[in-house]
Amino acid sequence: MDICKIHENASKCSANTMECFMVLSTQAQKISIAMLCGLFGTLCIFENSLVLYLIFSSPGTRRKPSYLFISSLALADILASIIFVCSFVNFHVFNETDFSKETFLLQLGGVNTSFSASLSSLLLTALDRYISISRPSEYKLLMTRKRAWIALGVLWVTCATIASLPLLGWNCCTLDSTCSELFPFVDVNYLSSWVCLIMVLLVCITYAYAHVLWRAHQHVAYMEKHQAQVGKQNTTRMRMDVMLAKTLVMVLTVLVLCWSPVLVLMIYSIFAKLSNDLRKVFAFCSTLCLLNSMVNPIIYALRSKELYSSLRMIFSRFRRQMKASEESPEAESAHKSSMIET
């Protein structure tokens, strides 16, 4: 009897049924997934670590709530890359099934926590820009560092709690309910609830950014019309708000493009049965989430003047050190030659 047929019957929570979810049938598919995960994961960890260093090495950036939210996004992307790549490659490429249900749900909870925190951090960043542009005179009073840290604490605790629900008992094994066709042991009702949560976050982010873009357009029009009457400090601040707003819209665009295929297949799996080909497509589309985490720091470095300036200073310092290390052996050899001649 086909093992995937067993999955639909009483033995649906057996460890042997994990093989049903190993949809990569050829060596070429496994090598492709391994290369994509290795490339995206390595670049994501390096780039987001660099973003965290640039933010916290500069007193001017680490004190701003905007960059605290961006650092939370970078941290979430790092954790997502590490947990996702290790568990995904171990499962789909090496076909490792020597772990318990609890271990698998713990790994899945780590991935869900990281990706949910990444998206929620983007939502906090959108709200931060919304307040900054809609109520600029009250921004410093409303968005303090203390409130920013409290918001980040609530964010991470909430994401971890929601992601831990399958491990705490909301799974198809404990409830003897319908299992998801995309994730082992995951209850289909939990999957639909998680997808709804992600969709709500996307709608809220989209609404906030739509307002930010509208106000940014007004600021640009006002500066062009009243350039002489606007103070230099206010003009600089408006331009920074507009630049950061456009940057975050680019982040949102990349996010939607990378996550749309995964979310569409998740929604489709809730209402219809997936074929093996669609499940393979879902496995490859999952790597787009890593691509999103990899692209975000590139956007920061190119669009944020403060981070870009810090990055240039680091490169300049590195070049000076390399130049000094290259010249020091020559100077030492010249000194030794003069001593010998003497």
Side-chain angles (χ1 to χ4, degrees):
M1 186 177 182
D2 188 4
I3 193 170
C4 293
K5 295 296 183 181
I6 298 176
H7 174 72
E8 300 174 358
N9 299 327
S11 303
K12 62 183 177 181
C13 292
S14 172
N16 295 330
T17 60
M18 295 287 288
E19 298 179 7
C20 287
F21 298 90
M22 298 176 182
V23 295
L24 303 182
S25 55
T26 64
Q27 196 67 20
Q29 294 173 355
K30 295 180 180 180
I31 294 175
S32 300
I33 284 289
M35 291 179 62
L36 290 174
C37 289
L39 176 62
F40 294 161
T42 302
L43 291 177
C44 178
I45 294 172
F46 171 75
E47 293 171 0
N48 284 285
S49 299
L50 181 61
V51 169
L52 288 177
Y53 174 78
L54 293 177
I55 291 175
F56 287 99
S57 63
S58 174
T61 54
R62 67 169 176 258
R63 294 174 182 172
K64 295 181 179 180
S66 301
Y67 287 101
L68 289 180
F69 298 145
I70 291 177
S71 64
S72 175
L73 177 62
L75 177 61
D77 288 337
I78 291 175
L79 294 178
S81 300
I82 296 174
I83 302 174
F84 178 84
V85 170
C86 292
S87 59
F88 196 79
V89 172
N90 190 42
F91 184 80
H92 284 288
V93 177
F94 297 106
N95 300 134
E96 181 64 40
T97 59
D98 189 19
F99 49 81
S100 62
K101 176 192 70 175
E102 289 74 18
T103 302
F104 177 83
L105 292 178
L106 181 62
Q107 294 176 355
L108 184 62
V111 174
N112 286 345
T113 299
S114 303
F115 281 128
S116 299
S118 177
L119 188 58
S120 300
S121 298
L122 193 58
L123 175 60
L124 287 182
T125 311
L127 295 176
D128 174 76
R129 290 299 88 200
Y130 179 89
I131 297 174
S132 175
I133 288 185
S134 61
R135 305 174 70 176
S137 60
E138 305 175 15
Y139 173 74
K140 290 186 177 181
L141 296 176
L142 295 175
M143 190 57 66
T144 61
R145 293 183 74 249
K146 181 179 179 180
R147 292 180 177 178
W149 281 111
I150 292 175
L152 289 176
V154 173
L155 180 154
W156 280 91
V157 170
T158 303
C159 292
T161 302
I162 295 175
S164 301
L165 291 178
L167 183 62
L168 297 176
W170 192 356
N171 56 77
C172 58
C173 300
T174 303
L175 301 178
D176 194 23
S177 56
T178 304
C179 292
S180 169
E181 294 184 358
L182 295 174
F183 306 99
F185 314 125
V186 174
D187 181 71
V188 69
N189 293 324
Y190 172 81
L191 180 61
S192 60
S193 300
W194 189 81
V195 170
C196 290
L197 174 64
I198 298 300
M199 296 300 294
V200 169
L201 290 176
L202 288 175
V203 170
C204 293
I205 294 173
T206 303
Y207 173 79
Y209 279 138
H211 184 83
V212 165
L213 280 180
W214 178 64
R215 293 303 297 266
H217 176 73
Q218 287 185 328
H219 282 180
V220 172
Y222 181 81
M223 285 188 295
E224 292 177 351
K225 187 176 181 180
H226 303 86
Q227 188 68 35
Q229 291 82 5
V230 177
K232 183 177 180 181
Q233 183 176 2
N234 291 331
T235 302
T236 304
R237 181 177 178 181
M238 287 182 180
R239 286 176 178 172
M240 290 179 61
D241 287 340
V242 171
M243 177 66 72
L244 189 52
K246 292 181 179 179
T247 299
L248 297 176
V249 169
M250 293 175 62
V251 174
L252 176 63
T253 302
V254 173
L255 176 76
V256 172
L257 292 177
C258 291
W259 275 85
S260 292
V262 173
L263 292 177
V264 168
L265 288 175
M266 285 184 181
I267 295 173
Y268 182 78
S269 69
I270 296 173
F271 300 100
K273 186 175 180 62
L274 294 178
S275 62
N276 288 334
D277 292 336
L278 284 179
R279 292 163 69 187
K280 290 180 183 179
V281 171
F282 178 80
F284 278 93
C285 288
S286 298
T287 60
L288 292 177
C289 303
L290 279 179
L291 177 63
N292 169 65
S293 299
M294 185 195 73
V295 171
N296 285 344
I298 299 176
I299 300 177
Y300 303 149
L302 294 178
R303 300 288 297 179
S304 173
K305 290 184 178 180
E306 292 174 296
L307 295 184
Y308 184 71
S309 299
S310 300
L311 186 61
R312 290 186 60 183
M313 289 178 60
I314 291 177
F315 282 147
S316 299
R317 192 184 313 153
F318 179 75
R319 283 198 299 266
R320 287 196 299 267
Q321 292 177 353
M322 292 295 294
K323 187 176 181 180
S325 63
E326 291 175 357
E327 293 177 353
S328 57
E330 297 177 0
E332 184 178 355
S333 62
H335 177 70
K336 289 182 178 180
S337 300
S338 62
M339 290 294 292
I340 293 174
E341 292 177 358
T342 303

